[in-house]
Amino acid sequence: MAAGTTRFCAGIVSTARHVSIELKMADYSNKLYQQLEQETGVQTGYMKTGSISLAQTQDRLISLKRIASSLNVMGIPCEIITPKQVAQLHPLINIHDLVGAMYVPEDALVSSANVSLALATAASRNGVQIHERTSVSHVLIQKGRVTGVETDRGKIQCQYFVNCAGQWAYELGHSGDEPVSIPLHACEHFYLLTHPLKEPLASSVPTIVDLDGRIYIRNWQGGILSGGFEKNPKPLFTEGRNQLEIQNLQEDWDHFEPLLSALLRRMPDLEALQIMQLVNCPESFTPDMRCIMGESPTVRGYFVLAGMNSAGISYGGGAGKYLAEWMVNGYPSENVWPLDLKRFGTLQSSRTFLRHRVMEVMPLMCDLKVPRWDFQTGRQLRTSPLYDRLDAQGARWMEKHGFERVKYFVPPGKDLLDLDQSKTFYKPDWFDIVGSEVKCCKEAVCVIDMSSFTKFEISSTGDQALESLQYLFSNDLDVPVGHVVHTGMLNEKGGYENDCSIARLSKRSFFMISPTDQQVHCWAWLKNRLPNDSNLTMEDVTWKYTALNLIGPRAVDVLSELSYAPITPEHFPSLFCKEMSVGYANGIRVMSITHTGEPGFMLYIPIEYALHVYNEVMNMGQKYGIRNAGYYALRSLRIEKFFAFWGQDLDAFTTPMECGREFQVKLDKGMQFVGQEALLEQKQNGVYKRFTMFILEDHDTDMDLWPWWGEPIFRNGRYVGKTTSSAYSYTLERHVCLGFVHHFDEKTGEELVVTTDFINQGEYEIDIAGQRFQAKAKLYPFSSLFTHRRRKDEVELSGYQRE
Amino acid sequence: MCVCPGPRRIAIPVRSSRLPLLSDAMPAPTHLFPLIRNCEISRICSTVCYCHHKHLCCFSSHFAHGHFRYAPQKRFAALYRPKENFNHFIHARDYASTPQRFYLTPPQVNSILKANEYSFKVPEFDGKNVSSVLGFDSNQLPANAPIEDRRSAATCLQTRGMLLGVFDGHAGCACAQAVSERLFYYIAVSLLPHETLLEIENAVESGRALLPILQWHKHPNDYFSKEASKLYFNSLRTYWQELIDLNSGETTDVKEALINAFKRLDNDISLEAQVGDPNSFLNYLVLRVAFSGATACVAHVDGVDLHVANTGDSRAMLGVQEEDGSWSAVNLSYDHNAQNEREVERVKTEHPKSEEKSLVKQDRLLGLLMPFRAFGDVKFKWSIELQKRVVESGPDQLNDNEYTKFIPPNYHTPPYLTAEPEVIHHKLRPQDKFLVLATDGLWETMHRQDVARIVGEYLTGVHHQQPIAVGGYKVTLGQMHGLLTERRARISSVFEDQNAATHLIRHAVGNNEFGTVDHERLSKMLSLPEELARMYRDDITIIVVQFNSHVIGACQNEEL
C-alpha cells in the first residue's frame, strides 16, 4: 500500500488552485489531514507551514491575485505580499527578481505514505478489508455492470469497483470484459533531496512555489526538497510496463539542470549544500490538466479516480469524499463536471495522443494560465469537411472534445501576435477582428461552422420515443411536427444534466442537438434511462451532419434565394424545422434557431453536401455582405443576450427556475418527468441562487484587466457568488458577466431564498484579480435596448452596403 | 609532431634574410614580450607568417635565388609549435592596433564548417539495411589554399564491400588527387574474380558497355580530372590484363589485394611520369603527380571484415562502446613516421649502415619528409640520373621549379620511400560502433580517446551521454550545477551539426582547455587569413563510418 508514486510524493498540501472544484478538494484535504492524526493515532507528519507562491512578472502576480480572490471568498486566509515580506518569511530566498507573492498561511506538509496509512487504518476500523500484494488481473462485467474482480489470489465479488490505479489506471481500464478508457499518461518527475543545512532549516519554514522558475522548494529534515515541472518532460510507459520498473528509474541530472539552476537562483546560499539524492518518481497527467473521477459511461458500478497531475496529496481527501458521495448517493455534493470521466471519450484514448498531450500539459503546470488558452498538441483530430476551406480563409482554431472549431477569422494582411506573446489578462489582440464579425452578424449575415455540436436521433415504431422523451425532458415535446423545442435534460434535483434543442422530425422521431462535450455524458445518461425496447432506437449522428449557422438579419434573404421557398416569418416562424433544398442539395434540415438570440438559421447538412452548400451560401451571400465568423463572435452575442450555456453557466446543480427558464419547463404537461418534484418545490419555496447578468460600469476595456469567469460577485460589499462566463458586448460597448447570486444570511451564513427584489435592490461589484468594478445587475436581457439600436442600425446598414 | 612553424610535411630549406634575425631576437618564448614591443611583434609575426606561407606553396620563388640553408629553423621551430603557441600569437595580435579585426558570427562559422560536409546513408530495402555499414559522414576543412587533402568513398558493385579513404597530399595536391581518383579502382580490380575480369576485358575489347565497378559517393566539390581519364583507364586496363594472365585460380585475399593495388598504383604513377605523354598538359600533369606526394588511409568494410590499409601518417580509429556506455578508441593503423620505432628500424635495415645517421634527421626522412611511406614523391624513389633525365626532358614549368630540381641530401641508395601499405584486419563486433578515418590534421589537435568520446556521444545522441550519478559521493549543489552547465554546453554544440565529421572538426578547431567548443576561439581560427591559417592548423579531412550493430551481431551469431 502507498508503495507506488504515493510513497515518493513531495507531500505538499496546497490550496492555491485555479479551478474552483479543485480548490474545494484541496481545502477539504487540508482540513481532513489536520485532524487525521488525532482521529486515528497514526502520525501523519502534518505541519502547517504555509506556502508562498512567487511572482517574477506582473502577469504572474495577476494570476496569483485571481487565486487569492477565490481563496478569500472561500474563507481560506491568503494575502498578496511584497518581496520584502517574502524575505521575512523565508531566510534563504533571493527576492531581487520578484514583483510580489501570494502567502497562504494554512497550507501544510504531510508525509503522504503516512496519510495513506492513517486513512487505511480508519477505514479498517470501520470494517474495510484491505488486501495488500494482490493484483487485479481482470474486472468482471455482466450486462453492463461490474460483478467482481479476478485477482491473483482468487475472485472477489463486488457491486462497485473503483479504478484508482494511478498511472496504471489506463492499463487496468483495458483489462476488463469491456474496456473503460481512462485517458492518462505518465511522465518522469524529479525532485532533489539534500543533507541538512549547517543551520538546519526550521520545520515551520513555508514552502516556496516559484512558478516562473518552474520549481517548488520545501524544507525536508533540515535540508530541502525541491522539484519542478520542466519544459521538456519525459513521458514514459507509453507502451505500458510492468509496475516493478518504477523502482529502478534512473536519476537524470542533465534533465534536472534547468530546475537546479532555478533553485540556485532562488536560493544562492544553497550552493554549498550537499546532495542526498535525485528522486525520479513518475506522475500521471491527463489531457486537460484536471483529474479524472466518476462512473464509466459504459459500465455501471465501475468508478475511476486517477490522473492527479502530481497534486494527488492536495486533492486526495476531497476527491475521495466526492467519489464516496457519488457511489453512495448517486451524485456528489458539488459540481464535479470539470473532473468527470465522461468529459472524455474513446477519442482521447490513443496512446500517441496522450503521449503528445501530456508533454504539453506537464509544462503547463507552471505556465501562466490566461483566458482562452488552447492546447497545441493532439489537434486536428475531428474536423468539419469545411476545415481546409475555412483554414485557407484565415481561420484560427480552438478545440473542444477533439473537434476543431473556428475562433475567428484573421483578415488577409492582418497579423496577430505569436502564441506566446498573445497570452494576456488584458484586451486581446483579436478584439477588433471579433468586433467586426459581431457587427456583421448584427447588420448583415455571417456563417459559423457549428458541426461540433452533438447530434442524436431518437425514433421508435410507436409512441415510445415521445413517451420516453417526455419523461426525460422538462419541456413539452408533444408539439406539432416541424417544431423545435429548447429543453433541459434534468436530474432528480431538477438540475441540468444537459441543455438541448430537440426538433420533432416526424411523429415518431426526434433530432436532438446538445453541446459538443455532451457526446459521452448525454449518451450514457439516455442509454441508462431509456427503456430497453428494440422498437426504440437512438443513434449518434454527430458525424453525419455539418452544421452551418447563418446569423443575421439578412440570413433570410440568402436562404430564400438559395431555396426558392418562402422563408418569411409567416412561413417559417422562429423555432421551426423544415427539410428543404439549398442550391442543388436536397434534404437539408433548416431550423430557425441560432443559439444566440439573433435572427437566422441553423442548416444541418449531410456531410457530402457540406462543401456545395457552403459555397452556394457564400456566393449568394456576397451581395448581402456575408462573411465567416467564429465562436468568439457567437459567445459575445449569446452572453449579451443573457443566454446561458451548459458546461459553462449551467450544471447539474442549476435548475431552470434558477436561471429564468421557467418557460422551458412544462410542469403541467400532463405527465411526470424527471426533476418535476424538485421544480415544483422550488416554484413554491423560491430559489436559493439566481442567474444574473452584470454589466460592468467603470471598467476600461483598453486599460483594465478583463473578466474571465470565476470572479467573485459582491453585493453591498458582501460576497454573494461567482461569475460563470463573461464577454465584451460590442453592442453595449461594455463587458457583460453572467453569474449566480446567492443570499447568505449575514450572521449565520445560511443560504436564504433569492428574490427578484433582492437582486434588484443591491449595489454590485465584480472582483477581477483583487480589483473591484461596479456592475449593474439585470435579470432579463435588454430587449428594448436592442430594438432601439436595431432601428439605428438600419441606417448604418445602408451605409454598410455601400462600402 | 612537426618541426616547422607550420606543421608541414616537407621541410625545404629557405633563404630569407629576416629569419635569422628573428631567431636571434627571440631566444626563448618567455622572452618574447620583454624584448620586442607590441607593435613590432605584430609586424614581425605577420612577416614570419608570410614567409612560411610562401615557402609552402611556391617553392620556386625562393629557390630562384639559389641559396640553400639546411635546417635553419631549429630554434625557431622550438619557439613556434602551433599548439602551444597559439595563445601567444593571439595575444600578440590583441595588443597590435589592427582595427580590421573581426569575428565570425555562429552562422558564418557554421557555413564555413559545413561547406564540404557530406553524408551517405546506406539505402534500405524492405525497411531493412542488411549492410554492416549504416552510412558515413565526411567533411574537410582547408588550411592550405588550395586544400591538399582528398577523400573518397565508394561501394564495390562487383564484389561486396565499401571503400573509404582519406589522402593527405604534400608538395601540392596533384598526387593526392590522382590517388583519390584511381586507388579504389585498383583495389576493386584486385578483388575481382577471374571471370568478372574476363567479362570486363571482353566488354572493352568488343566496345560493349562496361560493368560498373564502383558506385562513388562524392561531395559536389570532389572532382575527377576528365583529361587524364583515358590515360588512367589504360593503365588500369593493363593491370587487369596482367591479373587475367596471372590467373592463380585462388580466391582473392583482401589484404593481398590492398597491398597489390597500392603498390601497383604507385608504380603506374612512376611509370607514367617516366614515359610522359604527347599531350603537353597531360605530360605536365603526370609529372606533377609523380613529384608531389600523398599518404593514404583506406578502409574496406565487407560484413564483419574490416581491413584498413595505411600508407603514411593518416590514421584509422575504431570507436568502441564499453558495457558501461563509455567510449574507447582502438587504433587500426600505425603511423609511418619518425615516432614509429618500427618504421625507423625498417628504413634503417633497407639502407647501408653508412647512411644510418642521415636517414632520419629532425624526425624526417632524409631530414625532409615527415611520412615514411607515401605515393608519388619520386624524388625519394628514383635514382638521381632518372630524376635529372626526366626533369630535363620535361616541360619548362618543371625545369623552372626549384623543388623538382633539388636533390635530397645524402641521397645514395634509392628508393628511400615506398607506397606499400600496412594492412590490419579486424572482425567487427557489436560494440564497434564507428570508424574514424582522418588525416593528421585532426590527430595533431585531438587525442584519439577524445575523438572516440565526442563522436560516440554525438552518434548515440545526447541522451546517451553517460549519465551522472551521485551515488555515495559528497557533491554540493554548486558543484553539480557547474558540472551540468558544462555538459550542457557540450550538448548544445552537438545540436548544431548534422554531420559527425563536422562535429569533430568543430571540436578539433574550437576546443578550449576544458574540452568544450569555445565559439570565440573557433571564430578566430576560422577567420585567419589564408596565409596565416597554415600556421595554426593543417588541412583536416575526416570520414566517420557508422556500423550497424544489429547486422554485425546477427553475422556474429551465424558464425557461432
Side-chain angles (χ1 to χ4, degrees), chain A residues 445 558 616-627 800:
Chain A
V445 56
V558 176
E616 288 292 302
V617 165
M618 291 310 275
N619 283 336
M620 190 55 73
Q622 230 165 22
K623 61 180 169 187
Y624 301 105
I626 200 167
R627 56 177 291 172
Y800 175 83

Side-chain angles (χ1 to χ4, degrees), chain A residues 27 200 212 216 260 391 435 507 560 570 681 694 729 740 769 787:
Chain A
D27 185 41
D212 298 298
Y216 56 82
L260 181 60
D391 198 57
K507 276 200 118 34
S560 61
E570 299 84 66
E681 194 193 315
F694 296 93
S729 161
F740 287 92
T787 41

Side-chain angles (χ1 to χ4, degrees), chain A residues 664-799:
Chain A
Q664 289 183 8
V665 178
K666 295 291 183 298
L667 289 168
D668 50 355
K669 67 180 174 185
M671 69 175 290
Q672 276 257 309
F673 63 90
V674 182
Q676 192 175 26
E677 276 176 39
L679 295 183
L680 272 171
E681 194 193 315
Q682 271 197 337
K683 195 179 163 93
Q684 273 176 2
N685 301 344
V687 294
Y688 290 91
K689 62 176 179 184
R690 188 65 209 258
F691 195 48
T692 313
M693 174 176 179
F694 296 93
I695 292 96
L696 295 190
E697 296 283 308
D698 55 350
H699 185 271
D700 185 328
T701 305
D702 291 315
M703 304 300 291
D704 288 325
L705 287 170
W706 272 35
W708 183 2
W709 48 267
E711 289 90 10
I713 303 164
F714 292 88
R715 177 184 176 275
N716 299 341
R718 289 176 54 85
Y719 170 70
V720 290
K722 280 187 177 181
T723 62
T724 51
S725 57
S726 74
Y728 181 80
S729 161
Y730 293 89
T731 322
L732 299 168
E733 292 170 348
R734 284 262 179 280
H735 262 286
V736 176
C737 301
L738 308 182
F740 287 92
V741 173
H742 299 251
H743 186 183
F744 301 108
D745 186 274
E746 287 197 24
K747 292 192 185 84
T748 62
E750 188 194 352
E751 281 203 58
L752 303 175
V753 169
V754 180
T755 61
T756 310
D757 283 346
F758 178 79
I759 300 283
N760 290 338
Q761 295 163 0
E763 297 287 322
Y764 289 90
E765 285 172 313
I766 308 279
D767 177 327
I768 306 174
Q771 197 183 350
R772 292 191 188 179
F773 295 93
Q774 286 172 25
K776 197 179 259 171
K778 290 191 66 73
L779 283 171
Y780 300 97
F782 288 91
S783 48
S784 58
L785 178 115
F786 283 99
T787 41
H788 167 73
R789 284 188 66 93
R790 180 73 49 76
R791 225 169 287 128
K792 191 173 141 240
D793 287 345
E794 265 158 17
V795 184
E796 284 169 15
L797 188 63
S798 51

Side-chain angles (χ1 to χ4, degrees), chain B residues 198-503:
Chain B
L198 273 179
E199 202 181 325
I200 291 173
E201 174 57 24
N202 287 339
V204 176
E205 191 66 37
S206 55
R208 277 186 284 122
L210 217 60
L211 284 175
I213 297 174
L214 292 174
Q215 183 198 355
W216 292 94
H217 311 298
K218 282 196 298 187
H219 186 274
N221 289 359
D222 301 339
Y223 62 94
F224 278 4
S225 78
K226 283 205 183 84
E227 298 80 4
S229 62
K230 185 80 190 142
L231 175 74
Y232 289 168
F233 178 78
N234 287 335
S235 297
L236 182 69
R237 187 181 173 192
T238 313
Y239 177 43
W240 80 54
Q241 282 168 342
E242 280 174 33
L243 285 176
I244 291 171
D245 293 343
L246 274 170
N247 178 23
S248 55
E250 288 165 24
T251 47
T252 331
D253 175 56
V254 178
K255 182 173 177 176
E256 214 171 297
L258 285 166
I259 295 174
N260 289 342
F262 271 63
K263 281 161 75 176
R264 175 69 186 209
L265 173 60
D266 193 47
N267 203 35
D268 282 356
I269 288 172
S270 170
L271 273 178
E272 283 157 10
Q274 291 174 41
V275 173
D277 194 284
N279 176 325
S280 65
F281 176 84
L282 274 184
N283 195 32
Y284 183 44
L285 176 73
V286 295
L287 285 166
R288 271 189 299 149
V289 169
F291 275 90
S292 60
T295 73
C297 185
V298 173
H300 177 264
V301 199
D302 178 7
V304 293
D305 290 306
L306 168 64
H307 286 86
V308 174
N310 184 46
T311 285
D313 56 2
S314 292
R315 202 180 283 173
M317 183 212 86
L318 196 62
V320 181
Q321 189 165 31
E322 304 295 343
E323 269 177 21
D324 64 354
S326 66
W327 295 95
S328 59
V330 172
N331 273 350
L332 286 182
S333 67
Y334 302 109
D335 296 351
H336 299 139
N337 59 18
Q339 276 70 44
N340 183 342
E341 282 174 26
R342 278 195 313 154
E343 268 307 281
V344 176
E345 207 49 45
R346 176 185 65 82
V347 172
K348 283 184 178 167
T349 55
E350 285 172 1
H351 297 278
K353 204 145 177 63
S354 55
E355 287 184 52
E356 192 165 290
K357 285 204 172 132
S358 58
L359 270 175
V360 179
K361 277 185 171 175
Q362 293 145 37
D363 284 350
R364 287 164 186 257
L365 189 64
L366 298 178
L368 295 171
L369 192 64
M370 275 177 59
F372 280 25
R373 301 190 192 193
F375 281 95
D377 281 327
V378 291
K379 299 179 57 52
F380 296 87
K381 290 173 179 164
W382 289 353
S383 66
I384 297 179
E385 298 73 44
L386 181 59
Q387 289 191 38
K388 280 188 174 154
R389 184 168 60 75
V390 170
V391 171
E392 275 162 20
S393 65
D396 293 345
Q397 298 106 306
L398 197 67
N399 255 315
D400 291 346
N401 190 324
E402 297 294 331
Y403 170 67
T404 49
K405 280 208 269 184
F406 161 75
I407 302 290
N410 305 311
Y411 196 79
H412 307 298
T413 51
Y416 287 89
L417 194 63
T418 174
E420 177 172 343
E422 256 186 303
V423 180
I424 294 182
H425 174 229
H426 176 83
K427 280 244 181 246
L428 288 171
R429 307 156 299 169
Q431 63 264 41
D432 301 332
K433 300 297 182 188
F434 59 89
L435 174 75
V436 178
L437 299 174
T439 55
D440 62 340
L442 174 72
W443 308 111
E444 279 163 13
T445 55
M446 287 183 87
H447 190 268
R448 61 198 168 99
Q449 194 54 47
D450 293 329
V451 171
R453 183 182 54 76
I454 288 167
V455 176
E457 284 172 4
Y458 173 83
L459 289 179
T460 48
V462 183
H463 295 297
H464 292 85
Q465 191 176 17
Q466 217 182 339
I468 304 181
V470 177
Y473 300 105
K474 290 185 174 178
V475 186
T476 68
L477 292 178
Q479 288 167 335
M480 179 58 84
H481 186 233
L483 185 63
L484 294 174
T485 321
E486 190 208 302
R487 278 163 71 95
R488 200 173 53 152
R490 208 184 295 160
I491 287 163
S492 65
S493 72
V494 170
F495 283 126
E496 282 177 284
D497 299 318
Q498 279 85 51
N499 182 305
T502 310
H503 186 61

Side-chain angles (χ1 to χ4, degrees), chain A residues 118-364:
Chain A
L119 290 169
T121 308
S124 301
R125 276 182 205 159
N126 288 304
V128 170
Q129 286 176 39
I130 295 169
H131 296 273
E132 289 196 70
R133 299 179 189 280
T134 308
S135 60
V136 174
S137 54
H138 195 74
V139 181
L140 301 166
I141 296 158
Q142 271 175 12
K143 290 182 189 162
R145 273 209 83 96
V146 169
T147 58
V149 288
E150 239 165 52
T151 71
D152 54 353
R153 298 187 184 192
K155 211 161 127 180
I156 301 173
Q157 296 222 324
C158 66
Q159 199 181 351
Y160 293 104
F161 172 73
V162 184
N163 179 347
C164 43
Q167 51 203 330
W168 316 112
Y170 178 92
E171 275 179 88
L172 183 57
H174 281 265
S175 71
D177 287 332
E178 208 168 306
V180 173
S181 84
I182 301 158
L184 51 81
H185 193 293
C187 281
E188 291 181 41
H189 175 65
F190 296 92
Y191 64 79
L192 170 80
L193 295 175
T194 71
H195 288 277
L197 283 142
K198 274 210 182 100
E199 272 177 59
L201 216 53
S203 58
S204 59
V205 163
T207 300
I208 299 293
V209 182
D210 183 359
L211 290 165
D212 298 298
R214 308 187 154 270
I215 50 167
Y216 56 82
I217 311 159
R218 58 162 278 196
N219 73 71
W220 186 77
Q221 299 183 358
I224 59 135
L225 180 163
S226 172
F229 300 97
E230 60 274 24
K231 275 186 177 159
N232 52 337
K234 290 165 74 177
L236 81 171
F237 304 137
T238 305
E239 293 150 6
R241 282 283 174 81
N242 187 338
Q243 183 171 1
L244 295 175
E245 291 196 27
I246 196 171
Q247 322 293 353
N248 320 326
L249 286 171
Q250 297 291 318
E251 54 194 319
D252 184 344
W253 280 99
D254 293 301
H255 194 67
F256 194 70
E257 189 266 337
L259 301 179
L260 181 60
S261 299
L263 172 65
L264 289 178
R265 178 172 152 194
R266 187 54 52 221
M267 297 185 182
D269 295 344
L270 296 185
E271 283 234 343
L273 190 57
Q274 240 181 59
I275 295 167
M276 174 105 103
Q277 200 189 348
L278 184 66
V279 183
N280 181 352
C281 70
E283 294 280 357
S284 54
F285 295 87
T286 61
D288 59 1
M289 237 190 311
R290 302 195 297 262
C291 77
I292 299 172
M293 66 157 75
E295 193 175 9
S296 153
T298 49
V299 184
R300 303 217 69 184
Y302 192 119
F303 282 83
V304 176
L305 181 55
M308 287 301 182
N309 297 291
S310 79
I313 197 72
S314 296
Y315 296 152
K321 175 186 166 216
Y322 292 137
L323 193 75
E325 290 170 347
W326 202 329
M327 293 165 68
V328 174
N329 305 334
Y331 48 87
S333 62
E334 289 281 347
N335 170 33
V336 295
W337 172 249
L339 315 176
D340 195 326
L341 171 64
K342 292 192 283 292
R343 72 187 186 276
F344 298 119
T346 46
L347 66 98
Q348 284 93 354
S349 229
S350 142
R351 282 316 262 175
T352 315
F353 166 79
L354 287 171
R355 184 184 169 87
H356 289 183
R357 178 56 70 82
V358 296
M359 285 175 75
E360 181 183 3
V361 162
M362 184 169 154
L364 275 182

Side-chain angles (χ1 to χ4, degrees), chain A residues 379-399:
Chain A
R379 295 289 297 269
Q380 291 182 322
L381 183 54
R382 302 168 72 202
T383 57
S384 147
L386 303 175
Y387 181 86
D388 281 349
R389 276 300 305 273
L390 302 178
D391 198 57
Q393 295 176 77
R396 293 290 182 274
W397 302 89
M398 63 197 259
E399 168 252 3

